[in-house]
Structure formats: structure tokens, C-alpha cells
Amino acid sequence: MYKTILDYVRRNQLFDRGDRVIVALSGGADSVCLLVVLNEMKQEFDLALKAVHVHHGLRGEEADRDSNYAGELSEKLGVPFSCAHVDAAGYAKEHGMSVEEAGRHLRYKIFLKKKDSYLMEQRLRWLITAMIRLRPYCTIYSGAPD
């Protein structure tokens, strides 16, 4: 699988050498796979990785376990990690939307905030998330400045 993804990345020129990449790390299989694969590619493209986990405050101990796992995996891989805690249910009620929609709004706010702080260090080209599924290998949102 790694070679297939590497070929896809090269063919589509997804990264420039030295890019900084934020991985939205939910703790689920897709985002874990994405982080592990990008960590393997790190030297090939001279990538600087950062993992960001958003704890939505919804699933109690299960969410705590996901958050802890995301942090432990990042540490094991040597990838800087940060976790943001949000109140998705409260945000949903306050803004008259579903909890799912509120979670998505809050995640994007967090990722954009992290992107902005990462930009202060150096140019960030890609903000990557695999929260839904790797299609075909990941979902990529350009975070390049205009």
C-alpha cells in the first residue's frame, strides 16, 4: 500500500520538499494510517508533520481513549501533537445546528487556527484530513496562502 500511495503523491505532485503538514488525527483507522504513511514519507519529501486531535466532549471515556491513543501514537512516531477540547453539543445548541455539523465547524476552526500558528513558523502548504475515509488515499485541503 505504501508504494501505491507514494506513487500517487509523486504523480500528482502533492508535496514540495520542506512542506509543513498538519494531520487531523481522530484516532480512527483512516487518520492513523494517514499519519503512519506520511511519517514514512517524511524523509523522502523533507516534510515537517504535526498531528492535531479535536476532542468534541461527546463520547465520554471512549473519546478520552481516542485522544490518549492519538497522543501516544504521535509521541511514538516523534510527531508533534496537540489536542483541542471543544463543546460540540453546546455549540450546536447555541447555533441551532446538529451536533455533527457543530463538530465539523469546530474542527475546521481548530485546524485553521493551527494552520495559522504553523504559518508563523514557516509556509504551510497542505492541511490534510482523513476523517471520513482515504479517497483514494486521503482527502486534501489546500492550506496554501493566497
Side-chain angles (χ1 to χ4, degrees):
M1 178 170 79
Y2 174 77
K3 184 174 178 349
T4 302
I5 296 171
L6 182 60
D7 289 344
Y8 180 86
V9 168
R10 286 181 179 149
R11 186 173 54 254
N12 292 284
Q13 301 175 349
L14 297 184
F15 302 117
D16 289 332
R17 290 195 62 70
D19 277 349
R20 294 187 162 297
V21 179
I22 296 174
V23 178
L25 185 59
S26 68
D30 290 348
S31 66
V32 166
C33 177
L34 179 63
L35 180 64
V36 169
V37 168
L38 287 175
N39 196 55
E40 289 291 318
M41 290 183 188
K42 178 165 64 174
Q43 287 186 316
E44 171 101 15
F45 295 99
D46 189 30
L47 299 176
L49 301 177
K50 180 172 186 151
V52 176
H53 177 82
V54 179
H55 189 303
H56 297 90
L58 295 172
R59 297 178 296 118
E61 289 181 10
E62 184 180 0
D64 294 341
R65 281 192 300 273
D66 287 346
S67 181
N68 291 336
Y69 174 69
E72 290 167 4
L73 176 64
S74 298
E75 184 177 343
K76 179 180 175 185
L77 295 174
V79 174
F81 173 79
S82 66
C83 178
H85 290 264
V86 297
D87 178 9
Y91 187 90
K93 186 175 182 179
E94 181 181 332
H95 292 87
M97 60 180 61
S98 71
V99 173
E100 183 178 286
E101 185 178 10
R104 186 172 43 254
H105 280 232
L106 291 167
R107 278 193 306 275
Y108 292 161
K109 280 184 174 187
I110 295 295
F111 298 143
L112 290 174
K113 186 176 181 180
K114 296 294 181 182
K115 175 190 72 80
D116 290 343
S117 67
Y118 219 25
L119 277 170
M120 291 170 59
E121 297 172 30
Q122 186 179 341
R123 180 177 160 256
L124 171 69
R125 174 138 182 209
W126 299 106
L127 173 61
I128 298 184
T129 181
M131 293 207 164
I132 300 172
R133 62 175 61 167
L134 299 170
R135 277 187 254 166
Y137 307 107
C138 59
T139 303
I140 301 177
Y141 299 94
S142 174
D146 294 329

